[in-house]
């Protein structure tokens, strides 16, 4: 961070300014003129908050993707299928037992086991053949998508939320004035706040694991130079297995989250695969903070675009990616 | 016209087993000076005769659905083969470029959606459609060549899905979810080109043209330089070649071929919608090109034939096993997995290995082969 400010003072100033303006827009009450120019503040706040929540979901999906890529140079194009499969499994668990929280460990374990199987049986056999691995994952995603369509059909599912998570909560953020002229505060679905908090907690935990633990050290060393790490006597296959299992499990968990506050249907797998791709391209391959920033940017662009230019919200996402590629092909935080 | 190979072509040919197209198809090396027509092996003549006289034996369903579709998908896969085999760039954008060509024909020419279609005459709208699609491919290429290997796959995949979502949401130009219907080929020379026999010859002719163009370009200085760039970009840059320009130009050329395939595809279905370039279709093109083999241009058509046969007849096979006939994707996906697992260079690779095996075994019987 300090390095960045020292190296690029102008860019730091611009980023700080944009952030300050955004924060001011969110916190300060809007004047009549502003409401006239930009529409109502509540709409803006809702767009910003859904953008951040969507970003949190994208981060959950993309974090595993970027970690797997960073360590193994393996683009797992079946990642979206793991997401959707996790969502469906979570739906089944919640349907059968009624406990929403129970779905998380169950799905994590099942999908992580599937990930371990994939890594051990498929990717290990074609190590170093990136193109072939990518094609295998494409084949897998085709097969998985069709099997899921077979089992769960074409309709869309929503995972039922527990009572303590449903309903709105009031945030101490000024959203406008109600009819009697009193200050109204923003009301926002509790579950989305919970998702946001959970994503932040998971992100911070991942950051700590990566930067402060022995396993994290091994992973970072593996990202930098795999051969050298192997030469020091580390059984890198175990590290690979751990990372792949974790990344797959995260995708599964994200499926439950996505199924709870959006819905699950065929096609969601490619949607989230695309989201992870764009997030990772924007943020930089193999970087967890990059994935967080990329997810936030893409989520915000998606939702703000949806509110203010409904037809072209996809194009915003794409434009951001194109601009990043044009000026920083390795991604915002990539090396 | 001598039979000496173009500089660098044969010397740069990697040993058997490496997944590299040699750029030499059909020409028998080491033979005496012959006319070009004499150098075409007998197998190709037989294939040409079979294809030319196909309408005499095959019914309309085979001509229009099976072979027409094979040639179309083959052309689109051929454009991918050109990029991947000669340029070393696996691009997933080819289906979107093809759809762009198809959309442009529908938008510029006549279609059932009269509020949008401009209704330009065929001699204007077809070249324009190919041009616009090629420009689109060039722009995508300009972005994609900044990256290498799997990054190219990821970026072209992202752009392809952006194209899909954009066409689905844009109603002003692309007519959103519904797309365009009643897009038919022009009545040229008094022939209805959507009739099975006419369409068969049209798609066959264009497929042969595209095939010949790819083979020709692969032997031009540009194609050879492109293969050099594939093998060693830094050396080519040091030799003074503009690596980026060669790669982008490859995207443009491949884009034009894909656009021709896309236009034919629209004419065959007589309609186009966002789903034409949805992710399943995008992956299908990769599946076709890989299953056929990325080494030589013919692989694209072999892959397309296998895909179309599977797609057309798998419902019958599945019903025979008492499975729902919607499971053909499972079959195709599994087939693709098997091919990638056991023969990464596709059917052509299998054929080459089979031939090499035969060549190795024969000396035991005392017969000279090579």
């Amino acid at each position: 961070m300090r390095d960045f400010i020292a190296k690029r003072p102008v860019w730091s100033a611009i980023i700080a300014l944009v952030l300050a303006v955004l924060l001011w827009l969110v916190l300060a009450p809007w004047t009549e003129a502003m409401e006239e120019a930009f529409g109502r503040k509540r709409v803006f706040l809702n767009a910003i908050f859904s953008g951040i929540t969507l970003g949190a979901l994208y981060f959950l999906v993309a974090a595993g993707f970027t970690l797997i890529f960073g360590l193994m140079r393996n683009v797992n194009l079946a990642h979206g299928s793991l997401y959707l499969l996790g969502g469906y499994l979570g739906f089944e668990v919640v349907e059968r037992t009624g406990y929403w929280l129970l779905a998380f460990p169950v799905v994590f374990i099942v999908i992580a086991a599937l990930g371990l199987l994939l890594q051990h049986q498929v990717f290990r056999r074609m190590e170093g053949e990136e193109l072939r691995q990518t094609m295998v994952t494409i084949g897998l995603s085709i097969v998985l998508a069709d099997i899921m369509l077979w089992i769960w059909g074409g309709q869309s599912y929503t995972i039922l939320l527990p009572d303590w998570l449903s309903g709105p909560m009031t945030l101490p953020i000024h959203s406008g004035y109600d009819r009697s002229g009193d200050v109204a505060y923003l009301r926002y679905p509790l579950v989305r706040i919970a998702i946001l908090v959970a994503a932040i907690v998971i992100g911070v935990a991942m950051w700590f694991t990566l930067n402060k633990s022995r396993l994290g050290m091994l992973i970072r060393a593996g990202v930098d130079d795999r051969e050298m790490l192997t030469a020091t006597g580390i059984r890198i296959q175990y590290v690979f297995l751990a990372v792949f299992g974790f990344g797959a499990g995260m995708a599964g968990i994200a499926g439950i989250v996505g199924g709870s506050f959006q819905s699950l249907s065929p096609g969601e797998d490619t949607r989230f695969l695309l989201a992870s791709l764009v997030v990772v391209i924007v943020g930089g391959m193999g970087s967890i903070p990059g994935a967080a920033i990329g997810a936030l940017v893409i989520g915000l662009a998606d939702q703000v675009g949806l509110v203010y230019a409904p037809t072209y919200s996809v194009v915003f996402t794409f434009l951001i990616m194109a601009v990043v590629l044009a000026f920083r092909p390795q991604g915002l935080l990539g090396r | 016209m001598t039979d000496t190979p173009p500089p660098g072509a044969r010397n740069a040919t990697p040993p058997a087993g490496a997944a590299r197209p040699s750029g030499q198809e059909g020409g028998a090396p080491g033979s005496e000076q012959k006319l070009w027509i004499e150098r075409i092996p007998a197998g190709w003549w037989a294939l040409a005769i079979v294809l030319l006289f196909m309408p005499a034996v095959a019914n309309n369903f085979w001509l229009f659905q099976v072979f027409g579709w094979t040639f179309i998908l083959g052309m689109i896969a051929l454009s991918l083969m050109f990029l991947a085999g000669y340029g070393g760039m696996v691009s997933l954008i080819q289906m979107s470029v093809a759809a762009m060509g198809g959309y442009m024909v529908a938008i510029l020419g006549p279609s059932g959606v009269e509020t949008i279609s401009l209704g330009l005459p065929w001699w204007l709208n077809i070249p324009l459609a190919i041009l616009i699609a090629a420009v689109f491919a060039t722009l995508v290429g300009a972005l994609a060549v900044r990256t290498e290997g799997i990054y190219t796959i990821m970026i072209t995949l992202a752009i392809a899905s952006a194209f899909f979502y954009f066409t689905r949401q844009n109603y002003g130009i692309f007519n959103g979810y519904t797309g365009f219907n009643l897009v038919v080929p022009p009545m040229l020379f008094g022939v209805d080109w959507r009739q099975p026999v006419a369409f068969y010859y049209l798609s066959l002719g264009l497929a042969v043209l595209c095939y010949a163009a790819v083979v020709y370009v692969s032997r031009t200085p540009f194609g050879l330089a492109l293969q050099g760039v594939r093998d060693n970009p830094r050396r080519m840059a040091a030799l003074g070649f503009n690596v980026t320009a060669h790669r982008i130009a490859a995207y443009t050329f491949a884009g034009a071929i894909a656009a021709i395939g896309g236009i034919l595809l629209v004419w065959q279905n007589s309609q186009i919608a966002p789903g034409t370039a949805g992710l399943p279709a995008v992956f299908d093109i990769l599946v076709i090109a890989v299953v056929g083999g990325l080494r030589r241009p013919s692989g694209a058509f072999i892959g397309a034939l296998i895909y179309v046969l599977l797609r057309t007849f798998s419902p019958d096979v599945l019903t025979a096993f008492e499975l729902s006939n919607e499971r053909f994707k499972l079959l195709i996906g599994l087939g693709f997995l098997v091919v990638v697992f056991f023969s990464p260079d596709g059917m052509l690779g299998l054929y080459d290995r089979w031939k090499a095996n035969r060549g190795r075994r024969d000396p035991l019987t005392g017969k000279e082969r090579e």
Side-chain angles (χ1 to χ4, degrees):
Chain A
M1 184 95 161
R2 221 168 275 154
D3 276 6
F4 184 77
I5 295 173
K7 267 189 212 152
R8 296 193 174 75
V10 180
W11 274 106
S12 314
I14 291 174
I15 293 170
L17 194 70
V18 168
L19 284 182
V21 167
L22 263 181
L23 206 64
W24 181 76
L25 277 175
V26 168
L27 292 178
W30 286 19
T31 60
E32 298 262 328
M34 280 171 72
E35 297 233 330
E36 224 157 82
F38 304 118
R40 304 187 47 200
K41 191 185 177 190
R42 188 166 309 164
V43 176
F44 171 77
L45 277 185
N46 264 321
I48 293 282
F49 272 78
S50 354
I52 294 175
T53 327
L54 192 65
L57 180 58
Y58 283 168
F59 171 74
L60 287 181
V61 187
F65 187 77
T66 196
L67 207 57
I68 290 174
F69 179 82
L71 184 63
M72 288 169 250
R73 300 284 139 194
N74 171 14
V75 175
N76 180 13
L77 291 182
H79 203 71
S81 313
L82 295 177
Y83 163 89
L84 190 58
L85 185 62
Y88 280 136
L89 287 178
F91 173 81
E92 291 293 329
V93 172
V94 175
E95 273 300 280
R96 304 229 166 118
T97 65
Y99 293 106
W100 189 67
L101 280 180
L102 182 68
F104 285 85
V106 171
V107 166
F108 185 86
I109 290 169
V110 173
I111 302 288
L114 187 65
L116 293 183
L117 197 73
L118 277 183
Q119 164 64 19
H120 192 258
Q121 291 300 318
V122 179
F123 298 118
R124 222 181 130 173
R125 293 181 185 215
M126 35 188 85
E127 211 168 288
E129 298 169 77
E130 298 170 348
L131 200 60
R132 209 168 147 209
Q133 289 182 336
T134 312
M135 288 180 188
V136 167
T137 58
I138 289 178
L140 278 175
S141 72
I142 295 173
V143 170
L144 279 177
D146 204 58
I147 292 177
M148 286 189 281
L149 185 67
W150 194 355
I151 300 175
W152 284 285
Q155 69 266 49
S156 84
Y157 295 88
T158 304
I159 298 174
L160 214 58
L161 281 172
D163 288 338
W164 52 270
L165 263 183
S166 44
M169 77 179 279
T170 309
L171 292 173
I173 292 172
H174 195 280
S175 76
Y177 301 96
D178 59 16
R179 257 179 239 117
S180 58
D182 293 332
V183 172
Y185 290 100
L186 181 72
R187 289 167 69 78
Y188 198 69
L190 182 58
V191 59
R192 298 190 164 210
I193 302 290
I195 291 167
L196 183 59
V197 172
I200 292 172
V201 168
I202 290 177
V204 170
M206 276 172 81
W207 188 86
F208 267 101
T209 317
L210 271 181
N211 287 290
K212 303 289 174 199
S213 74
R214 187 180 142 77
L215 179 66
M217 207 165 68
L218 290 181
I219 293 172
R220 278 182 296 138
V223 170
D224 284 346
D225 193 332
R226 212 158 68 184
E227 284 78 22
M228 205 60 218
L229 183 67
T230 323
T232 57
I234 303 294
R235 301 203 171 171
I236 197 159
Q237 289 302 338
Y238 290 132
V239 183
F240 282 0
L241 278 176
V243 169
F244 207 104
F246 177 77
M250 284 284 287
I253 283 188
I256 309 177
V257 172
S260 300
F261 91 103
Q262 292 183 333
S263 62
L264 301 165
S265 56
E268 288 292 284
D269 49 351
T270 49
R271 196 190 132 208
F272 275 86
L273 174 65
L274 167 70
S276 324
L277 280 178
V278 175
V279 163
V280 171
I281 290 170
V282 168
M285 323 257 180
S287 150
I288 296 289
I293 292 178
L296 196 62
V297 169
I298 297 304
L300 277 175
D302 201 62
Q303 291 300 308
V304 173
L306 209 59
V307 170
Y308 290 101
T311 323
Y312 299 105
S313 69
V314 179
V315 184
F316 282 135
T317 318
F318 168 67
L319 266 184
I320 290 174
M321 194 188 80
V323 168
V324 168
L325 270 181
F327 294 103
R328 229 185 124 73
Q330 73 273 44
L332 289 177
L333 294 189
R335 271 182 292 171
Chain B
M1 180 85 200
T2 57
D3 197 24
T4 41
R10 293 231 171 83
N11 302 339
T13 305
R20 295 268 189 254
S22 63
Q24 308 287 323
E25 183 127 25
S31 50
E32 293 293 304
Q33 280 196 356
K34 284 181 188 171
L35 277 176
W36 65 273
I37 209 157
E38 288 174 300
R39 278 187 274 135
I40 297 174
W44 288 88
W45 286 110
L47 183 68
I49 288 168
V50 166
L51 285 177
L52 274 179
F53 291 97
M54 185 70 77
V57 284
N59 64 18
N60 285 348
F61 174 78
W62 275 86
L63 289 181
F64 190 71
Q65 278 302 328
V66 177
F67 284 105
W69 204 20
T70 300
F71 295 139
I72 291 166
L73 289 179
M75 270 182 263
I76 303 173
L78 178 68
S79 74
L80 171 59
M81 178 274 143
F82 179 78
L83 281 176
Y86 295 128
M89 304 171 283
V90 179
S91 147
L92 291 179
I93 199 70
Q94 298 315 116
M95 190 64 218
S96 307
V97 172
M100 183 64 127
Y103 263 119
M104 282 304 140
V105 161
I107 292 166
L108 299 172
S111 85
V113 186
E114 278 163 9
T115 46
I116 296 176
S117 292
L118 299 174
L120 296 179
W122 65 269
W123 51 266
L124 196 55
N125 87 44
I126 296 171
L128 263 181
I130 296 175
L131 188 70
I132 292 173
V135 168
F136 173 60
T138 312
L139 289 177
V140 174
L143 268 182
V145 296
R146 300 181 64 91
T147 58
E148 278 189 355
I150 31 185
Y151 296 85
T152 311
I153 297 187
M154 292 169 70
I155 278 144
T156 48
L157 177 61
I159 300 176
S161 23
F163 179 81
F164 164 69
Y165 285 112
F166 181 74
T167 51
R168 206 175 63 171
Q169 284 180 355
N170 179 302
Y171 279 84
I173 303 172
F174 292 100
N175 203 27
Y177 203 79
T178 27
F180 296 85
N181 57 359
L182 296 178
V183 190
V184 288
M187 289 281 283
L188 222 54
F189 313 117
V191 180
D192 179 3
W193 292 98
R194 254 196 118 236
Q195 287 305 310
V197 176
F199 190 82
Y200 173 82
Y201 281 120
L202 178 68
S203 49
L204 173 66
L206 285 173
V208 169
L209 209 65
C210 288
Y211 179 86
V214 166
V215 172
Y216 174 74
V217 167
S218 71
R219 297 176 188 181
T220 57
F222 163 71
L224 294 172
L226 187 67
Q227 290 168 59
V229 167
R230 171 199 69 200
D231 292 336
N232 197 334
R234 291 180 67 183
R235 188 179 293 172
M236 291 305 278
L239 286 173
F241 287 92
N242 187 341
V243 170
T244 314
H246 275 82
R247 286 181 172 159
I248 296 179
Y251 269 95
T252 312
F253 176 68
I257 290 178
I260 296 173
I263 293 171
L264 281 178
L265 187 65
V266 176
W267 284 345
Q268 193 202 22
N269 297 328
S270 87
Q271 60 100 25
I272 184 162
T276 309
L279 284 198
V282 166
F283 286 146
D284 282 348
I285 293 300
L286 182 70
V287 169
I288 289 170
V290 170
V291 166
L294 290 171
R295 285 170 157 213
R296 290 195 294 264
S298 49
F301 292 99
I302 296 173
L305 183 63
I306 295 172
Y307 175 86
V308 170
L309 288 178
L310 258 182
R311 184 84 191 247
T312 315
F313 296 105
S314 64
D316 301 334
V317 178
L318 286 169
T319 320
F321 286 102
E322 300 189 346
L323 281 162
S324 162
N325 55 19
E326 285 166 8
R327 295 281 81 80
F328 69 87
K329 279 207 167 147
L330 197 60
L331 213 64
I332 286 172
L334 285 176
F336 178 62
L337 272 181
V338 168
V339 168
V340 174
F341 252 108
F342 296 106
S343 176
D345 39 7
M347 291 297 156
L348 281 180
L350 276 184
Y351 172 72
D352 288 346
R353 269 198 297 279
W354 173 73
K355 228 168 106 177
N357 266 340
R358 225 175 50 155
R360 246 203 328 265
R361 224 173 290 138
D362 262 356
L364 291 175
T365 60
K367 235 164 143 190
E368 285 289 314
R369 216 167 265 274
E370 293 294 320

